[in-house]
Amino acid sequence: MEPDTHVVALCGSLRDESGTRAALGTALDAAEAAGATTTLVDLRTYDLPLVDADEASPADAESLRRTLRDADAILLGTPMYHGSYSSPLKTALDYCGFEEFEDKTVGLLAVSGGRFPTSALEHLRSVCRALNAWTLPLEVGVSDAHSSFADGELTDPTAAERVRRLGEHLVLFAGVEQYPEVASATIESVTGF
């Protein structure tokens, strides 16, 4: 890790008592403990109307883009809505592009009130792939949010440990622009290519 590694988390939940925001806080705490500086982008404080290509981007969209461009690694966090990620996060991502994400390390985190949020994570991974981001293999889903959080904290010990590892991995792999040597060597030994 470089000493000036900066991790930005983008919270796709607008709820005041958001499990997603609490989980992102846990990940950012771990990133700070690993030596990074961090920023939580709380979309409740941004005025981001639905994207209209015929309208100029609002000032908050440029502020969001600048914050993401300045990051060495980005953590996308979302509640799961109808098997996918939230509309506030979708709108925020629609204002962004390659300048914010290309060759950038990205982590994924999703929280669900019920079943494991696999599809929300898959959808976010597809978006990151389209933006040429380097998405970490480790992604975290927190299911059964009603029993995983208490008093604004992630209390499920297994989920909390995975979220902390995600924060650490964001710092460890920040700035990766190609497969690390060890991964390339492993791929070569397995495939012969």
Side-chain angles (χ1 to χ4, degrees):
M1 175 201 73
E2 296 179 19
D4 58 350
T5 298
H6 187 63
V7 177
V8 172
L10 183 54
C11 183
S13 174
L14 303 183
R15 290 187 64 196
D16 287 337
E17 301 298 322
S18 167
T20 302
R21 194 173 305 105
L24 290 173
T26 299
L28 291 179
D29 287 347
E32 288 178 7
T37 58
T38 64
T39 298
L40 174 65
V41 174
D42 188 342
L43 292 177
R44 294 177 301 172
T45 65
Y46 284 72
D47 181 17
L48 297 174
L50 295 176
V51 175
D52 181 345
D54 292 329
E55 298 289 330
S57 291
D60 280 356
E62 180 50 39
S63 174
L64 172 67
R65 288 191 292 261
R66 189 171 43 255
T67 298
L68 294 175
R69 281 193 302 267
D70 290 345
D72 298 296
I74 298 170
L75 177 55
L76 300 178
T78 186
M80 185 168 79
Y81 290 144
H82 306 301
S84 192
Y85 59 100
S86 69
S87 58
L89 183 57
K90 168 69 171 146
T91 298
L93 292 172
D94 284 348
Y95 279 109
C96 298
F98 294 112
E99 284 187 48
E100 291 73 35
F101 283 92
E102 189 167 26
D103 294 331
K104 194 157 289 186
T105 302
V106 177
L108 305 177
L109 184 149
V111 175
S112 171
R115 62 188 173 89
F116 195 82
T118 303
S119 55
L121 293 165
E122 289 172 349
H123 296 167
L124 281 176
R125 188 170 292 277
S126 293
V127 170
C128 291
R129 186 170 39 252
L131 293 170
N132 293 333
W134 292 97
T135 311
L136 291 173
L138 173 64
E139 59 188 21
V140 178
V142 180
S143 58
D144 299 319
H146 61 280
S147 62
S148 297
F149 297 89
D151 300 321
E153 299 289 330
L154 178 56
T155 55
D156 179 288
T158 303
E161 178 55 33
R162 286 183 55 81
V163 169
R164 283 191 292 272
R165 277 193 17 234
L166 180 60
E168 293 165 357
H169 282 208
L170 282 163
V171 178
L172 182 62
F173 296 108
V176 171
E177 294 181 2
Q178 59 186 5
Y179 290 114
E181 273 185 32
V182 67
S184 296
T186 302
I187 291 168
E188 186 175 319
S189 69
V190 171
T191 65
F193 296 113

